[in-house]
Amino acid sequence: MTQPVVLWFRRDLRLADQQALAAAVVSGAPVIPVYILDDESPKHRKMGEASRWWLHHSLVSLDADLQVLGSRLILRRGKSDAVLSRLVEETGAAAIHCIRHYEPYWRNAEKAVAKALPDGCDLKCHDGNYLLPPGSVTTGSGGQYKIYTAFMRALWQHMPPAQPLPSPAKLALPVYWPASDALSDWDLLPVKPDWSGGMQQMWTPGEHGAKARLDAFTDKAKSYDERRNLPSVDGSSFLSPHLHFGEISAATCWHATMSAGGSVDVFLKELVWRDYAQNVICQFPEYGSKNAREGFDKMPWRDLADPAVKADYTAWTKGQTGYPIVDAGMRQLWATGWMHNRVRMIAASFLIKHLLIDWRAGEQWFWDTLVDADYGSNAVNWQWTAGTGVDSNMFVRIMAPLSQSEKFDASGYIRQWVPELSDLREPYIHDPEEHGARPKGYPRKLIGHKQARERALAAFAVTKG
Ligand code: FAD
């Protein structure tokens, strides 16, 4: 009897351009696909609630696609090394194939799995979730890049990425199927209250949903550069959760966009940001919790244990700051699990600089509420905004939310997400309080821009001292 191999799915929930699946198929062995819900490996970052909602639907979709091939997805829960070594004992598997992941907790889990497997069974890790394997783009002297622009130029020399692999036409099936958990027992979906209505409307998790998003985007990719910064129009690709869960590969997105023709470099450079973030967390595994610039360890952030500060933080999370663009973004995030990139920058900057609250509190909120919450991308962008990162905006560059709102023509976006303001015309809608047009039921600003700026700069001076 041919020994089977295990295909260990994680954030790579697709059949096309899935390098671990392709290697398993080439081996000729029967394939046992498995997904493990691991909240237990040491220091594992438990997935946020919005991500868990996405995961549920993505696993349903993956299982359905495997069933078309006569296969199925085995579900298990627990510490990856313990679960996989038990599965190998049960099935007599000769190898485990997986796509390599670069979050520090996944790297640790991979080491633990390799150590725990019985003799005769190897862990075979493949690359495939990024344009190039993180860590592989090096400087002339063999070092790692810290600055995005230099990294991007170096990576660009190796582009385009390899042509995507097709989905397999068939899979060799095992004689014996190991037992699987029932997905419904994992309680990944919210109940009482079920807050997922807006997410259900906006998203179709899974490989087919990803493909549909990409197809829709390639038609408008040429206008990406003009439209991506305008929150009132759908100018970006909406691929981030699909890319995060690996329902589509970055190489597939690259090639599809290139073949759409026209000037698409600006979009492709955004895909490079995703690779860059992984390169940063490879060098600084604690990037999600530690200032890269240590001077910021002395920053006198306002203390969240103080009820007044906590109230400001809560107002930010609920979109009740009195700054329409910030409130629209935070409400979009809560309703759909996604926020426009420009507005993410404005909302993050507002928390850090206007409210003087530690970026890590915001990073955690995004982690819990974004459907694309990604350890590397989230940490890199929060540290970029805070000025604490290896490559970052200077702290003293304080974004003015009200002028950003006008500059990027956010009135349609505000009307959509802050209905209390939907009757206001330009320019009142961007700053109703200033124009004496604040409707009842819409809050006053938590703090004025000038006062916030002065407080932030004074706090920053402490880090210099
Ligand atoms: P598009 O503009 O169509 O870009 C295409 C793809 O490129 C995206 O899907 C994404 O995979 C990648 N990309 C684009 N911009 C960035 C970027 N700045 N950094 C890394 N990758 C990028 N993105 C996440 O995927 N996960 C996160 O947890 C995340 N947290 C963020 C936190 C803050 C404070 C900020 C300012 C940005 C964050 N981003 C994060 C980056 C960016 O906002 C989203 O990737 C983008 O808005 C997703 O929308 P889209 O797919 O339409 O992007």
Side-chain angles (χ1 to χ4, degrees), residues 312-338:
D312 282 0
Y313 174 73
T314 306
W316 178 77
T317 62
K318 291 186 183 307
Q320 295 285 351
T321 66
Y323 283 77
I325 180 97
V326 175
D327 294 340
M330 297 307 291
R331 295 185 200 188
Q332 181 185 32
L333 172 60
W334 181 254
T336 66
W338 188 89

Side-chain angles (χ1 to χ4, degrees), residues 290-301 360 388 463:
K290 225 172 146 186
N291 295 316
R293 291 173 193 261
E294 287 171 2
F296 278 90
D297 293 348
K298 286 187 277 175
M299 184 78 173
W301 300 114
R360 285 165 279 216
T388 55
T463 69

Side-chain angles (χ1 to χ4, degrees), residues 18-204:
Q18 220 292 9
Q19 290 69 14
L21 170 59
V25 169
V26 165
S27 76
V31 180
I32 302 178
V34 61
Y35 182 89
I36 302 166
L37 182 63
D38 186 345
D39 290 329
E40 293 171 30
S41 282
K43 297 195 178 163
H44 207 89
R45 231 190 198 220
K46 195 177 167 205
M47 233 180 254
E49 293 299 320
S51 297
R52 290 168 103 78
W53 172 86
W54 188 286
L55 175 68
H56 177 102
H57 295 290
S58 193
L59 292 177
V60 169
S61 164
L62 180 63
D63 184 47
D65 290 345
L66 285 165
Q67 302 237 9
V68 172
L69 298 174
S71 181
R72 67 181 76 160
L73 184 62
I74 302 299
L75 303 175
R76 295 277 172 104
R77 187 173 198 160
K79 236 171 123 230
S80 303
D81 55 342
V83 171
L84 283 172
S85 49
R86 208 161 45 240
L87 194 63
V88 168
E89 272 166 31
E90 282 173 38
T91 59
I96 295 178
H97 289 275
C98 68
I99 287 191
R100 201 176 270 116
H101 291 287
Y102 293 86
E103 288 85 352
Y105 41 93
W106 277 131
R107 289 162 81 186
N108 289 339
E110 284 163 16
K111 280 187 207 139
V113 169
K115 215 164 137 195
L117 290 181
D119 288 347
C121 179
D122 291 330
L123 178 67
K124 295 182 187 296
C125 298
H126 308 267
D127 274 293
N129 260 16
Y130 297 94
L131 296 169
L132 285 178
S136 66
V137 181
T138 52
T139 62
S141 56
Q144 292 290 317
Y145 287 100
K146 294 188 175 56
I147 304 298
Y148 166 77
T149 310
F151 172 80
M152 185 271 295
R153 285 199 189 115
L155 179 137
W156 209 260
Q157 305 300 317
H158 303 275
M159 292 294 106
Q163 281 292 338
L165 307 166
S167 312
K170 60 180 191 186
L171 272 186
L173 306 176
V175 176
Y176 153 79
W177 279 107
S180 170
D181 291 358
L183 183 59
S184 54
D185 289 345
W186 283 4
D187 295 332
L188 297 173
L189 299 178
V191 275
K192 291 191 193 159
D194 176 359
W195 37 256
S196 66
M199 302 195 326
Q200 289 172 36
Q201 261 180 29
M202 176 156 171
W203 301 106
T204 307

Side-chain angles (χ1 to χ4, degrees), residues 224 236-240 270 338 341 344 372 374 378 381:
Y224 175 81
S236 69
S237 71
F238 297 92
L239 281 164
S240 52
E270 295 302 320
W338 188 89
N341 179 58
R344 287 189 204 202
D372 63 27
D374 181 276
N378 203 28
N381 282 286

Side-chain angles (χ1 to χ4, degrees), residues 203 217 224 228 235-241 243-244 267-275 277 338-346 348-349 366-367 370 372-385:
W203 301 106
F217 177 66
Y224 175 81
R228 71 193 173 116
S236 69
S237 71
F238 297 92
L239 281 164
S240 52
L243 279 163
H244 168 75
F267 173 75
L268 300 179
K269 284 177 187 165
E270 295 302 320
L271 285 180
V272 178
W273 266 104
R274 183 172 169 271
D275 269 50
W338 188 89
M339 197 197 299
H340 186 274
N341 179 58
R342 165 75 30 196
V343 188
R344 287 189 204 202
M345 287 194 265
I346 298 169
S349 169
F366 273 30
W367 178 259
L370 278 172
D372 63 27
D374 181 276
Y375 179 76
S377 294
N378 203 28
V380 161
N381 282 286
W382 274 97
Q383 293 231 38
W384 188 89
T385 310

